[in-house]
Amino acid sequence: MDNRSEVRQFLVTRRAKITPQQAGVPAYGGGQRRVPGLRRAEVALLAGVSVEYYSRLERGNLKGVSDSVLGAIARALQLDDAEHAHLIDLARAANATPTIRRRTRQQLRPALQHMLDAMTDAPAFIRNGRLDVLATNRLGHALYAPVFTNPAIGANLARFRFLDPAAADFFPDGQESANTTVALLRTEAGRDPYNRALTDLVGELSTRSDEFRTLWAAHDVRLHHTGIKHFHHPVVGNLRISFEAMPLPADPGLTMTVFNAEPGSPAHDAVTLLASWAATLDQPQTADTTDQT
């Protein structure tokens, strides 16, 4: 991905979201405003840099920019933690030598599958940054059963959400799931901009899905460590369940997601029913993801 273009579009879209009133500054220069967001001069004023210097940054040139300046820009644009981290990732990429990572099959350590299998009461899976599901436990495979039924889609959560009609029923909060999926891919693109497989996936989804293309252009990013997910499962019906998503330090780029149903809750009853159904199945517990990195 073109780092300068990514930087430019990210800063422009963040600036457009903040009004002078929200930033607590008088409208710079007065007169009729063509856009609701801040002007470059107002961002520069808030960040304590010259208009010329900030204009250079917004043209996509982050080479040599210090952490303190990045922090000042983040404060001026009122970036959240995910957006600030993304800006730092973009700056790191701007100062690195581009190295394209070719497609190679990602190997999962057997110990990780053993760890998943030891979790018998909670759905769990491991994914990479491009949202390929690399491994599940029995309950995780049962929970995400619709994701694994279409060979043309593969075990990829982004392809499923935007290219498989079954996703509309499986994710009842369709807009939220779409926003989250795109924001996670955009976040990963900032961390790993020269990942060929990720770039190819974004290109495929942009070509095949108008919804994805529109959301991708928003340049939104997100941290997705904990929260609530909603499903409409073909076997257990509506399910509202909390999750924890944990990066695996020994396996950079991999995240383990574990779902937790509070005892006595409707979610716990649904997971118990899901476990009974899963016990009747004979399914693989490791996804076939032939085009991952």
Side-chain angles (χ1 to χ4, degrees), residues 280-292:
T280 68
L281 304 178
D282 180 20
Q283 75 273 322
Q285 295 184 354
T286 301
D288 180 14
T289 51
T290 58
D291 63 344
Q292 297 156 6

Side-chain angles (χ1 to χ4, degrees), residues 53-69:
Y53 185 76
Y54 178 74
S55 296
R56 169 207 154 191
L57 302 184
E58 198 171 280
R59 287 195 295 269
N61 186 358
L62 290 184
K63 284 190 175 182
V65 179
S66 67
D67 289 344
S68 61
V69 169

Side-chain angles (χ1 to χ4, degrees), residues 230-246:
H230 297 82
F231 303 96
H232 180 72
H233 195 274
V235 173
V236 302
N238 291 327
L239 174 61
R240 181 180 184 274
I241 188 169
S242 63
F243 73 91
E244 301 290 330
M246 298 156 282

Side-chain angles (χ1 to χ4, degrees), residues 51-264:
V51 178
E52 293 76 13
Y53 185 76
Y54 178 74
S55 296
R56 169 207 154 191
L57 302 184
E58 198 171 280
R59 287 195 295 269
N61 186 358
L62 290 184
K63 284 190 175 182
V65 179
S66 67
D67 289 344
S68 61
V69 169
L70 292 176
I73 297 299
R75 289 189 294 274
L77 294 174
Q78 300 184 14
L79 303 186
D80 62 23
D81 289 344
E83 292 169 326
H84 190 179
H86 187 63
L87 181 61
I88 292 172
D89 286 336
L90 292 174
R92 184 181 298 115
N95 289 281
T97 301
T99 302
I100 303 299
R101 292 208 294 117
R102 302 296 178 184
R103 288 176 178 270
T104 57
R105 183 179 176 84
Q106 189 162 12
Q107 300 297 318
L108 194 79
R109 291 188 295 119
L112 295 179
Q113 184 65 62
H114 298 159
M115 179 174 63
L116 287 174
D117 292 339
M119 301 179 190
T120 58
D121 297 326
F125 67 89
I126 292 173
R127 64 164 178 84
N128 61 15
R130 70 193 293 270
L131 306 186
D132 294 307
V133 179
L134 303 180
T136 71
N137 63 2
R138 182 180 292 274
L139 272 176
H141 195 283
L143 176 60
Y144 278 85
V147 175
F148 304 110
T149 59
N150 188 342
I153 297 298
N156 180 275
L157 298 175
R159 281 201 189 99
F160 176 74
R161 171 58 187 81
F162 290 100
L163 303 181
D164 194 324
D169 190 51
F170 186 58
F171 295 120
D173 55 348
Q175 191 59 58
E176 176 63 19
S177 68
N179 292 341
T180 298
T181 299
V182 176
L184 289 177
L185 288 180
R186 176 64 78 178
T187 302
E188 183 65 15
R191 294 193 195 107
D192 194 5
Y194 307 117
N195 185 329
R196 176 64 179 273
L198 175 59
T199 301
D200 288 350
L201 175 64
V202 170
E204 175 192 0
L205 295 175
S206 297
T207 300
R208 301 178 62 184
S209 170
D210 292 339
E211 181 185 17
F212 178 88
R213 185 166 57 253
T214 298
L215 293 175
W216 184 254
H219 286 260
D220 291 334
V221 293
R222 183 175 300 190
L223 299 176
H224 199 55
H225 298 318
T226 186
I228 303 291
K229 282 191 178 292
H230 297 82
F231 303 96
H232 180 72
H233 195 274
V235 173
V236 302
N238 291 327
L239 174 61
R240 181 180 184 274
I241 188 169
S242 63
F243 73 91
E244 301 290 330
M246 298 156 282
L248 300 176
D251 300 87
L254 299 189
T255 298
M256 180 173 66
T257 299
V258 181
F259 293 89
N260 176 52
E262 183 179 349

